[in-house]
Amino acid sequence: QVQLVESGGGLVQAGGSLRLSCAASGRTFSNYAMGWFRQAPGKERKFVATISWNNLTYYTDSVKGRFTISRDSAKNTVYLQMNSLKPEDTAVYYCAAGRFGSGSTSIRTYDYWGQGTQVTVSS
């Protein structure tokens, strides 16, 4: 059974940092693209960052220079380091895995999803 489990969310003040983790199980994800998406209350789920099987990364404009996505294939884990957090970063953050391998900003191209972890940034 394939499972993605996010952790590391919480409450932080503006300007602070959090590191999200996504632990994958049930198969090896080294050849998969991995992505992070977020969903604020009452809004649609949106792309945040993606990393390809060969570690190419891409970010949405609003997080460039502040967030870093990385992966540890040996641990089957992907990370999202979030620095200089802003109140508008408040959302539930979801990890996703896609068999296509290359990075993608589209929700529809991902095959597996985690249950999400809440990130709240206070002003």
Side-chain angles (χ1 to χ4, degrees):
Q1 180 180 358
V2 174
Q3 195 172 21
L4 301 176
V5 179
E6 301 98 332
S7 61
L11 173 64
V12 64
Q13 289 189 333
S17 298
L18 284 173
R19 188 195 196 200
L20 305 183
S21 299
C22 172
S25 61
R27 66 170 62 242
T28 298
F29 284 86
S30 58
N31 292 329
Y32 281 55
M34 303 297 292
W36 285 98
F37 291 76
R38 64 187 179 186
Q39 187 167 17
K43 296 188 177 181
E44 62 183 12
R45 192 172 300 186
K46 293 185 177 180
F47 167 77
V48 176
T50 184
I51 186 166
S52 68
W53 68 273
N54 58 346
N55 293 326
L56 297 177
T57 60
Y58 184 77
Y59 303 89
T60 192
D61 285 346
S62 62
V63 308
K64 286 179 181 177
R66 299 189 298 123
F67 291 11
T68 303
I69 187 171
S70 61
R71 66 194 303 165
D72 185 333
S73 294
K75 295 182 178 179
N76 234 16
T77 300
V78 64
Y79 304 97
L80 186 68
Q81 177 67 43
M82 305 186 296
N83 299 328
S84 302
L85 282 161
K86 305 175 181 180
E88 51 263 43
D89 294 318
T90 295
V92 177
Y93 283 69
Y94 296 90
C95 171
R99 289 173 290 185
F100 51 92
S102 58
S104 173
T105 64
S106 174
I107 289 176
R108 291 172 292 182
T109 55
Y110 289 86
D111 302 289
Y112 305 104
W113 291 85
Q115 82 291 347
T117 185
Q118 177 69 48
V119 171
T120 303
V121 184
S122 63
S123 57

